[in-house]
Amino acid sequence: MVSRVIPVDPFDLVIFGGTGDLARRKILPGLFRRYCAGQMPDEARVIGAARSEMDTADYRNFVAEAIREFGGGRACEDGTLADFLKRLDYVAIDAKGEGGWRDLAKRMRPKVVRAFYFSVGPSLFGDLAERLNTHGLTDDGSRIVVEKPFGRDLGTARQLNRDLAAFFDESQIYRIDHYLGKETVQNLMAVRFGNMLFEPLWNSQYVDHIQITVAETVGVGGRGEYYDRSGAMRDMVQNHLMQLLCLIAMEPPSRFEHDAVRDEKLKVIRALDPVEPHHIVRGQYEPGVEGAGYREAVEDARSRTESYVALKVGVSNWRWAGTPFYVRTGKRLRARMSEIVVVFKELNHSIFGDGKDHQNVLSIRLQPNEGITLRVTIKEPGPGGMRLVDVPLDMTFADALGPEGEDPPDAYERLIMDVIRGNQTLFMRGDEVEAAWSWTDPIIAGWEARGEVPKPYMSGSEGPGDAVQLLARDRRVWREVKA
Ligand code: BG6
């Protein structure tokens, strides 16, 4: 397979929070891999900015460590790291004060793309936006990149949008949802809109139901404080799962282009039904084979935050009315598995007289073992009449695409390069984020008003038993959570 890497324009990328966890784990190693792949031009420069007093040499050492720990990838040969590090610089900066801003301004070059990555808590977004402006660091072509959590409800999200809009046009704001940068998530669109086969059947006339699962084996780890204030609904459903649902449910955009795609996603969010309390299951993990329970991990014996949530969601429009979307996500589950499953309806008439209960099932595996499987019905081999059997037509990307399918670029690599290119298609627009909170807020408010306690589930299990009931009541079953 031929790699078609097109170098981006020369840029200055400033990473606020340049010594933070996200920078260390994702942004800097991702940039390095793009460098190795030949996508970063020689004139590209990355400036780390954070509170710590250190010089550029210290920062280069810090970045070298991060890259050694979190991976260079196969394309990076020995020696390239030293070359990459030459493109790095560091400025100690005070986000809420004046320290360091002049120094930063001096290092920015004219006539290159300027991008500012806010890899910091949302409480600093407004301060950074303002200081970038007052110190004259931005122009009309400059971009800012912000990370989730983008608010914790509609009110706070609106405020953040206003804080940014005071200094930047929407076309300059790149709100990252890293799920959109995952290769297989983009493949969802390729499968839907690049094949004649699926789109005519992609509606409630032919689709019985859809399942979206993002199951994790990790617990809340060292993020207990943040997570306990968020829970699975805010941390995963409002953003990542919502985005997946949108890509499956949206109408075909006229072009694969930023506003065309985002307009269609927004229409889906606005068509989501309010969720009935009996269509939601919240769970919280108990100690199990996988170690400590949730409440121990967050050091709050009375925490009512959910580490698992399963929902039955309706989309009220012509395409989907009557086809439920079952969505679930949780931590400390049996296996790491992200999958979208489209279960087609049973045959309306079988000419073989063996019952009609054969269903085509299209499963799109996002991670791990990225691939697509279509379950089809065929004749069981051998004599003895026409007996039917369901078999998978299986395509693992690693097998089908060779090394490139095996080692797809990390989501952050793709997204950062899109920022430099000025392509907003895989980023969330402000109104999308607000609409997602408008749908999520009443669900969370309902739990709080009812004082709901999440159902316990064993670490390392498939989640609470009530989630099984959620589908069983509709005579359906979840796909097994397995790696
Ligand atoms: C993050 C959440 O946005 O996504 C985490 O805050 C979660 O809680 C993570 O673990 C999952 O991302 P991925 O790429 O590992 O599926």
Side-chain angles (χ1 to χ4, degrees), residues 179 188 209-215 240-249 309-311 313 325-329 337-342 366 478:
Y179 266 58
L188 264 179
H209 74 279
I210 289 172
Q211 298 185 15
I212 305 176
T213 301
V214 176
H240 305 324
L241 282 96
M242 174 76 82
Q243 290 294 324
L244 296 179
L245 192 154
C246 285
L247 297 181
I248 302 166
V309 63
L311 307 111
V313 182
F325 286 67
Y326 299 99
V327 171
R328 62 179 166 165
T329 182
M337 168 184 120
S338 296
E339 190 179 65
I340 290 164
V341 181
V342 181
L366 306 179
W478 288 110

Side-chain angles (χ1 to χ4, degrees), residues 360-419:
N360 295 121
V361 177
L362 175 71
S363 25
I364 303 168
R365 173 63 83 122
L366 306 179
Q367 61 190 26
N369 312 323
E370 294 85 348
I372 295 178
T373 306
L374 179 64
R375 200 171 73 190
V376 293
T377 303
I378 59 165
K379 176 188 170 299
E380 206 177 297
M386 199 61 150
R387 292 182 311 273
L388 301 184
V389 60
D390 292 338
V391 295
L393 279 181
D394 211 334
M395 189 187 88
T396 308
F397 294 157
D399 296 343
L401 305 174
E404 289 204 19
E406 240 170 70
D407 190 17
D410 180 77
Y412 280 90
E413 294 176 48
R414 159 78 201 240
L415 294 175
I416 297 168
M417 290 299 111
D418 277 359
V419 172

